[in-house]
């Protein structure tokens, strides 16, 4: 079959995603110091995005090399589970950031570690179940009328996935609004103690709120068009509409390592150690908490 340029772009996107996130996973596994709850969550996100990138590559290979219904179902299920785990990990990171600010005094405790592991177990368990649904029969291979804009997923399947995304997006929006309130309240308390709000406190607060807006804005801009189109789109529409909304959604997995990993000073230091074998600190690094945004 002739190569579809959109499939080529998705494969290229998957390759970039896999390379970026494989580096993050290698750094976290290589560095014993990166064993805090925050980096466990970042590692979960990187692993999910790595699998999503590999899924895009495999989907391209199997689509043009090994064409079969079974392989198609397995690939689609793998992609659904990977992207669901990525979105769920983003939600877990958001919850962790909120708890680190709301319960700052008790955050570094055994209870926090248990909470993180429970959240991740639930996120990956639900993602795996969503990925298995097409494989276990929730597909339209034998009923073309039930197909959605993402074949071979059914309309009811993509509606469930879209509804789950909208719910997660609303929860993240609410939590980030609460985080902004806490950050502003902390800045106000500091101002009362010092009788004025210094320029540095104002800049730090503004930077924190701006960063939160960028994080949520990037997530929404990447996934909302595809989620909305899955609900309102019709399988008879030209496939270019599906590709045009799906491709930006994959970019979220490409941006995640930059936002959540490569900006972190401890991961930057671990990269130097990993690639150079030694590290001579020219700047002082400090331990960052999830509330540092």
């Amino acid at each position: 079959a002739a190569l579809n340029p959109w499939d080529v772009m998705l494969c290229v996107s998957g390759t970039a995603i896999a390379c970026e996130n494989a580096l993050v996973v290698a750094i976290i596994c290589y560095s014993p110091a990166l064993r805090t709850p925050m980096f466990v969550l970042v590692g979960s996100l990187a692993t999910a995005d790595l699998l999503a990138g590999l899924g895009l590559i495999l989907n391209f290979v199997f689509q043009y090399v090994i064409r079969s219904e079974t392989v198609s179902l397995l690939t689609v299920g793998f992609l659904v589970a990977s992207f669901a785990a990525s979105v769920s990990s983003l939600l877990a990171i958001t919850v962790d950031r909120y708890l680190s600010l709301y319960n700052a005094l008790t955050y570094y405790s055994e209870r926090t570690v248990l909470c993180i592991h429970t959240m991740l177990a639930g996120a990956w368990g639900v993602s795996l179940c969503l990925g298995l649904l097409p494989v276990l029969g929730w597909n339209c291979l034998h009923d073309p009328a039930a197909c959605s804009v993402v074949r071979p997923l059914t309309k009811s399947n993509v509606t469930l996935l879209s509804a789950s995304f909208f719910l997660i997006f609303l929860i993240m929006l609410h939590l980030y609004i609460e985080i902004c309130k806490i950050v502003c309240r902390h800045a106000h308390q500091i101002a009362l103690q010092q009788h004025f709000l210094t320029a540095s406190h104002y800049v730090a607060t503004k930077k924190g709120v701006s960063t939160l807006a960028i994080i949520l804005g990037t997530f929404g801009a990447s996934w909302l068009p595809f989620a909305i189109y899955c609900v309102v789109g019709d399988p008879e529409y030209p496939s270019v509409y599906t590709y045009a909304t799906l491709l930006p959604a994959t970019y979220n997995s490409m941006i995640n390592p930059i936002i959540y990993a490569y900006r972190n000073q401890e991961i930057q230091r671990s990269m130097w150690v990993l690639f150079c074998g030694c590290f001579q600190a020219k700047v002082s690094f400090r331990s960052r908490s999830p509330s540092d945004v």
Side-chain angles (χ1 to χ4, degrees):
L3 285 178
N4 186 332
W6 288 101
D7 289 330
V8 174
M9 286 189 287
L10 284 174
C11 183
V12 172
S13 176
T15 303
I17 291 170
C19 292
E20 277 186 299
N21 289 281
L23 179 58
V24 176
V25 173
I27 290 171
I28 293 178
C29 293
Y30 173 82
S31 305
L34 304 181
R35 296 291 186 270
T36 62
M38 177 182 66
F39 290 112
V40 171
L41 291 171
V42 173
S44 171
L45 176 62
T47 302
D49 287 333
L50 170 60
L51 294 176
L54 293 176
L56 290 173
I57 299 173
L58 292 175
N59 181 66
F60 177 83
V61 173
F62 292 145
Q63 186 173 355
Y64 290 96
V65 178
I66 306 175
R67 301 177 63 88
S68 72
E69 294 182 353
T70 303
V71 172
S72 175
L73 285 175
L74 291 175
T75 305
V76 170
F78 185 80
L79 283 171
V80 169
S82 300
F83 281 118
S86 175
V87 173
S88 300
S89 296
L90 287 173
L91 175 61
I93 290 176
T94 306
V95 173
D96 183 58
R97 284 181 166 177
Y98 173 74
L99 293 177
S100 69
L101 287 170
Y102 186 76
N103 296 321
L105 297 179
T106 61
Y107 176 77
Y108 294 98
S109 64
E110 294 293 333
R111 183 178 180 181
T112 300
V113 177
L114 178 61
C115 178
I116 295 299
H117 290 164
T118 302
M119 280 197 302
L120 289 181
W124 281 91
V126 171
S127 301
L128 181 61
C129 291
L130 291 175
L132 287 175
L133 290 179
V135 181
L136 296 178
W138 203 1
N139 59 72
C140 64
L141 292 179
H142 303 292
D143 185 14
C147 282
S148 67
V149 294
V150 184
R151 197 177 185 278
L153 299 181
T154 64
K155 296 177 182 178
S156 56
N157 195 340
V158 296
T159 300
L160 172 64
L161 294 175
S162 298
S164 300
F165 168 80
F166 292 137
L167 177 61
I168 290 177
F169 181 77
L170 290 176
I171 294 175
M172 290 179 62
L173 176 62
H174 172 71
L175 290 176
Y176 274 128
I177 291 175
E178 292 299 318
I179 290 174
C180 288
K181 291 180 180 179
I182 295 174
V183 170
C184 294
R185 185 163 62 245
H186 287 177
H188 181 68
Q189 291 173 350
I190 294 174
L192 292 178
Q193 293 175 358
Q194 299 183 351
H195 305 293
F196 65 94
L197 184 62
T198 63
S200 61
H201 291 146
Y202 173 77
V203 170
T205 303
K206 183 178 179 181
K207 180 181 178 182
V209 174
S210 300
T211 303
L212 293 176
I214 292 173
I215 291 173
L216 191 63
T218 301
F219 176 65
S222 299
W223 277 105
L224 276 176
F226 181 66
I228 294 174
Y229 182 69
C230 283
V231 176
V232 303
D234 189 275
E236 296 182 358
Y237 292 169
S239 60
V240 64
Y241 296 156
T242 302
Y243 283 113
T245 53
L246 175 60
L247 188 61
T250 65
Y251 291 160
N252 187 67
S253 296
M254 196 182 303
I255 298 172
N256 283 338
I258 300 174
I259 295 178
Y260 296 97
Y262 294 133
R263 292 174 60 249
N264 187 281
Q265 292 180 342
E266 293 181 3
I267 287 185
Q268 292 173 7
R269 177 173 57 182
S270 297
M271 287 178 62
W272 280 105
V273 175
L274 181 63
F275 289 113
C276 302
C278 61
F279 178 75
Q280 294 179 351
K282 295 182 180 180
V283 295
S284 59
F285 292 94
R286 65 183 180 87
S287 178
R288 292 163 60 92
S289 70
S291 59
D292 292 333
V293 293

